[in-house]
Amino acid sequence: MWGSRDPETVRAILAEADADRHQPWPRTLLSDYARFWRDGVRTAYENPAGELRRRTSTAVLAAALTAEQAYVDEAADGLMLLCEQTTWCWAAHESFATARGEVAGDPDEPYLDLGAAETAEILAWADLVLAPALDERVRGLRRRMRREAGRRVIRPFLTDRRWHWLGLAGRLHNWNPWIHGHVLAAALFLEDDPQVRLEVADLVVDGLDRYLTALPADGGCDEGYAYWWNGPARLALALDVLDRVTDGAFAPWSCPPLAELARYPQRVALGDGWYVNVADGSARPDPNQPWHVLHRWGRRHDDPEVMAQAAAHRDLPIAPAAGLGRALLGLIDDDWRTAAKAELPLPKSIWLPDVQLFVARNDSGLTLAIKGGHNDENHNHNDVGSFIAALDSTPVLIDLGQPTYTALSFSERRYEQWVVRSEWHNVPVVNGQEQRPGARYRAEDLVASENSLALQLAGAYPAAPGYRRVATLDDAIRIDDEWAGSAVQHVVIAGTPLRHEAGRLLVETLAGGIAELTWDAGLGTGRLEERAVDDPLLEGVWGPTVHRLVIDCTGTAFRLTVRRGERP
């Protein structure tokens, strides 16, 4: 069907599908599902469930691209396996089972979460592009797909409005556009009753509008860059579908703050695959994102820098793992297919006052990022006032980012995890106390200029009177702190310490550059600690160890300077 389009992408998809066919299908087992309640492990079930969705999506794409019966049969096998799963909900979200004191999902009481929405999306887009082939090869499968999507997703969406992600009685986050977009596809492509389709579409528009209205006017994302792809970018895809099915009558692209939201990835890019990360965001996320979504977004607003941000990644293939609907829309996007690879636009300085994020770059390869905010943000870490320092795009004073999710991750025990505590961010312990979680713990009196951010951090701690931080980038990065009382500075480091002496530390960055950290030599060497990184997600970014520099401050002022150094 699309064999003439982007031969490299077609070859990559077919190669992936062919490799899959030599492997057994993933199995989703109750014993793995139950581990969430037994020992807190989520990945034992979520990984094979995700692999089943990925493999099915790849097979659907291969069948659509070639119309070959072998690929159609492979796609049908995957679609049926999805239909036969007892539950599409991930264990961590299965509050219905938890309320019953059970570990098995009940088919008569389906929970509409991300997993259910993701699965329905695959069935919906598969039906759209493979309907004749499925009817010819596996008659009856499409009826089963409609039944399962209807009872697990469409009816719960219409009849139960208690879902927390609707935002009717609480905060809004990435679940809202992520699920709404998939429910829309399920209704449009799988629901036979036009009245039901209309009712779903009306509720989806209402839900997306609620999310859009709640977004900050500056185009920031408090969940960070990695979650931007599953929040604002999911919103953009849903709006794209609505725009197509209404033949442009919906006209959503003029709504604020869509134009600003599209600029967020370029504003937080460090280069070479690294990004300014906050909260549960990775500093080095998978680069193979659906960049065509951003490119279309930029075209809608005639924004050359947004289009350039996307086109800087034009050489990456369209990945089925990013979503079947995303992949299919990318394959038919002729403007994306013919876009020339561009240079990555990196703004000299940005200040997002609503999410309180500041990023500045200088001509010698240094980048400073610092956040204000509060400690009740989505995916919160206790990190008000924390900063990142990068040399030649590579972070050296870091935010660790997202650990592998477990039962602790979103529980009342969240802050038992070392990576979310303030003592493992680049902020001090003041008067013996770390920052606390909660919206009351926040930055105040922020003053931004082109190359600096000053902020009052007294309110981020239980007791830190007079604590003020000023972060500046000129020929070097300078962090100046003043407070009343005692403080112990913490600086989290990626790379290899090379030389450590009073007032000075040389670090070889992960990219091989040399960063020099200096402070008042009268404060001594500080204590350089090494910590093993035993989490696979974190190790994939930072390697097997990270370091922390701990400096006891006896005065009321502290300055840390970071500049390019020389190898000893």
Side-chain angles (χ1 to χ4, degrees):
M1 183 186 300
W2 299 314
S4 62
R5 298 180 183 272
D6 198 356
E8 291 186 8
T9 292
V10 173
R11 281 195 294 269
I13 290 171
L14 297 184
E16 189 173 328
D18 289 339
D20 286 342
R21 289 166 61 193
H22 292 92
Q23 301 297 324
W25 280 95
R27 296 192 303 164
T28 52
L29 303 176
L30 177 59
S31 57
D32 291 332
Y33 199 76
R35 288 193 63 184
F36 173 77
W37 291 275
R38 292 173 177 169
D39 57 18
V41 172
R42 295 176 50 163
T43 52
Y45 182 88
E46 289 179 17
N47 286 354
E51 178 62 10
L52 175 57
R53 295 192 302 274
R54 196 263 334 144
R55 179 168 171 174
T56 302
S57 298
T58 303
V60 170
L61 290 171
L65 288 166
T66 67
E68 292 183 13
Q69 291 181 351
Y71 293 130
V72 174
D73 288 347
E74 175 85 354
D77 285 343
L79 293 167
M80 181 57 84
L81 286 171
L82 292 173
C83 288
E84 290 179 340
Q85 286 182 305
T86 297
T87 179
W88 291 344
C89 176
W90 301 340
H93 307 152
E94 236 302 6
S95 61
F96 292 169
T98 300
R100 293 191 302 268
E102 298 175 353
V103 299
D106 184 348
D108 294 327
E109 192 181 20
Y111 192 97
L112 179 48
D113 77 325
L114 297 176
E118 287 270 288
T119 307
E121 186 245 9
I122 294 171
L123 303 188
W125 288 95
D127 190 87
L128 179 69
V129 297
L130 293 183
L134 293 176
D135 281 345
E136 179 182 348
R137 295 289 293 175
V138 284
R139 188 169 299 170
L141 174 59
R142 293 179 63 221
R143 180 169 58 84
R144 176 69 183 276
M145 290 160 57
R146 280 164 161 69
R147 174 190 171 194
E148 298 302 332
R151 73 178 184 86
R152 299 181 195 229
V153 172
I154 296 173
R155 282 201 296 276
F157 178 71
L158 285 175
T159 60
D160 191 339
R161 308 303 291 164
R162 296 173 299 168
W163 308 112
H164 70 85
W165 45 267
L166 295 174
L168 295 172
R171 72 171 67 195
L172 286 155
H173 48 78
N174 64 78
W175 281 39
N176 178 288
W178 197 342
I179 296 178
H180 274 109
H182 292 339
V183 171
L184 177 67
L188 291 176
F189 307 148
L190 294 174
E191 176 55 55
D192 294 322
D193 186 336
Q195 182 60 34
V196 172
R197 289 200 300 270
L198 182 60
E199 290 176 10
V200 170
D202 283 344
L203 288 173
V204 166
V205 170
D206 179 68
L208 294 177
D209 180 68
R210 195 178 305 114
Y211 176 75
L212 186 60
T213 302
L215 290 171
D218 61 15
C221 180
D222 69 351
E223 295 178 280
Y225 168 79
Y227 274 100
W228 181 93
W229 283 105
N230 285 323
R234 296 283 185 182
L235 170 68
L237 186 66
L239 296 180
D240 195 356
V241 172
L242 283 168
D243 210 19
R244 291 169 187 265
V245 299
T246 59
D247 198 23
F250 186 63
W253 297 102
S254 61
C255 297
L258 284 171
E260 293 298 322
L261 280 170
R263 300 185 183 113
Y264 185 78
Q266 67 182 267
R267 289 168 167 169
V268 296
L270 295 172
D272 195 29
W274 293 97
Y275 287 82
V276 174
N277 62 311
V278 297
D280 277 348
S282 172
R284 197 170 180 82
D286 185 351
N288 203 2
Q289 300 291 347
W291 292 102
H292 56 87
V293 172
L294 183 61
H295 197 262
R296 286 196 299 280
W297 198 344
R299 299 196 314 257
R300 297 287 190 178
H301 290 102
D302 194 24
D303 190 324
E305 288 201 348
V306 171
M307 289 186 280
Q309 171 75 17
H313 304 85
R314 180 61 191 84
D315 54 340
L316 296 173
I318 291 173
L324 181 54
R326 284 171 159 179
L328 286 164
L329 290 177
L331 284 168
I332 63 172
D333 188 342
D334 288 335
D335 289 323
W336 173 248
R337 178 175 61 86
T338 58
K341 185 174 173 61
E343 292 295 321
L344 186 69
L346 295 174
K348 185 80 171 177
S349 175
I350 67 104
W351 165 236
L352 301 177
D354 294 320
V355 295
Q356 299 184 356
L357 179 66
F358 175 83
V359 183
R361 303 169 177 85
N362 71 9
D363 295 332
S364 62
L366 289 169
T367 303
L368 164 69
I370 180 169
K371 72 177 295 292
H374 60 82
N375 281 335
D376 193 33
E377 295 165 343
N378 289 314
H379 294 271
N380 181 66
H381 292 198
N382 288 340
D383 60 354
V384 175
S386 189
F387 67 93
I388 294 168
L391 176 63
D392 297 332
S393 302
T394 304
V396 59
L397 306 185
I398 66 171
D399 184 311
L400 286 156
Q402 180 197 339
T404 299
Y405 287 155
T406 69
L408 289 183
S409 299
F410 300 102
S411 74
E412 61 184 13
R413 298 176 59 195
R414 175 176 178 81
Y415 296 96
E416 294 178 17
Q417 302 172 102
W418 65 285
V419 297
V420 305
R421 295 177 59 174
S422 61
E423 69 173 7
W424 277 95
H425 288 81
N426 296 326
V427 293
V429 170
V430 181
N431 292 323
Q433 298 188 69
E434 296 181 59
Q435 294 182 16
R436 302 280 178 82
R440 61 175 286 195
Y441 298 102
R442 59 177 57 240
E444 297 174 310
D445 300 331
L446 294 95
V447 179
S449 69
E450 185 178 4
N451 72 329
S452 71
L453 178 68
L455 61 173
Q456 176 66 248
L457 296 176
Y461 292 83
Y467 180 22
R468 188 162 184 81
R469 167 166 282 184
V470 180
T472 305
L473 175 65
D474 39 46
D475 62 320
I477 294 170
R478 307 179 203 282
I479 307 296
D480 290 286
D481 285 3
E482 294 183 355
W483 57 82
S486 64
V488 179
Q489 290 284 349
H490 294 81
V491 181
V492 185
I493 300 167
T496 305
L498 300 177
R499 177 173 292 176
H500 185 203
E501 56 198 28
R504 183 169 178 261
L505 175 66
L506 287 181
V507 179
E508 181 179 11
T509 74
L510 296 174
I514 304 297
E516 181 184 46
L517 283 61
T518 56
W519 58 94
D520 181 357
L523 296 175
T525 61
R527 184 172 73 253
L528 188 61
E529 303 172 345
E530 180 177 277
R531 176 153 189 160
V533 178
D534 55 1
D535 182 290
L537 280 185
L538 295 173
E539 185 177 3
V541 177
W542 306 116
T545 59
V546 293
H547 293 81
R548 181 173 66 169
L549 178 64
V550 181
I551 302 173
D552 291 333
C553 300
T554 56
T556 59
F558 175 80
R559 166 173 280 188
L560 177 71
T561 301
V562 185
R563 56 169 52 89
R564 185 184 297 276
E566 297 183 359
R567 188 174 295 276

